[in-house]
Amino acid sequence: QALLYTILNAMHFSQVQSCVIGVSARLDAAELLEKRVLSRFSHRKLVFSLLPDFAQTLTFLENLFRVEGADVEKEPGRAEYLQKFSSSVTATFTSSKIKELMEQQVDLISSPRHLCQLATVAVSYMNREEGVLQRGDVERTLRENLRGSLAMALGSCSVLELWLLVSMHRLRAWRKRPTVSFTEVYGECLNSGALAAQAVESYGRMCAAHSWENLLSAELVADMSSSQRGGRRRTGAQFQQARLLVPQCLLQEALQTHRQVPLALQTW
């Protein structure tokens, strides 16, 4: 860690142009470092998932439920059960609903270990009497995982980012706009009452645009201009159509638990 501290400390000089590449199975590896080293992590960090591809992630999760039949085929009745269980796994992962839920959170899955944890939770939801995997078991697991990931991301949002999310919700719920651009969201903040306009305008448009990028990176807002899941966003993200991924109940919960949310935002 002493070497890492020296390298990161040198990166603060304008004459130094460098980057540090770290490989770890944990996304919180930086937080496990010493405080003096962690204090030097003020630069931009890019995290690359081990399973960035949607098809690979879905196949990996499905294979976790597969049971090898070499050892059980010799026992009476086990071969029939194995075939029945295998059929239930295939039926579950060919469901369009499961694929939709997985597609919503493929970027939130940090590692193969995370997938193993999801599979363990899904198995714990299985009906013991039936003894086969049901689509509802995996669906419940994925919904809970998505809810937990969104709640964690909302907990780290700034007040300005919450202003933008509430503005998106107002456009979707009251003006029937399922997809909106940053320009429309920012305009909604400025045109929806004096308190909202004064609060948001004090930050400035450039700061609000940066917060919009943070919402896109945190997967709280989905960029509808991407050609495929995991693809790069096109330039001019402020003018591209985006969709709010946060349900109203989670947004209300975030507003109530955030320590610095002004009363004007809660009542707006």
Side-chain angles (χ1 to χ4, degrees), residues 35-81:
K35 290 185 178 180
R36 62 169 188 156
V37 180
L38 190 59
S39 65
R40 293 297 182 267
F41 266 91
S42 59
H43 308 279
R44 183 177 182 182
K45 291 186 292 185
L46 298 177
V47 179
F48 297 91
S49 174
L50 294 177
L51 294 170
D53 183 73
F54 167 69
Q56 291 181 0
T57 305
L58 184 64
T59 302
F60 188 95
L61 181 60
E62 180 180 354
N63 289 337
L64 290 175
F65 294 96
R66 298 293 180 183
V67 181
E68 296 294 336
D71 298 330
V72 300
E73 288 181 352
K74 300 179 181 179
E75 302 182 24
R78 292 298 182 90
E80 292 77 5
Y81 170 73

Side-chain angles (χ1 to χ4, degrees), residues 47 69 89 91 140 165-166 168 180 189-191 193 196 217 257 259:
V47 179
V89 173
R140 178 182 176 184
L165 290 175
V166 173
M168 288 192 72
V180 292
C189 292
L190 300 181
N191 298 328
S217 300
T257 57
R259 296 181 179 180

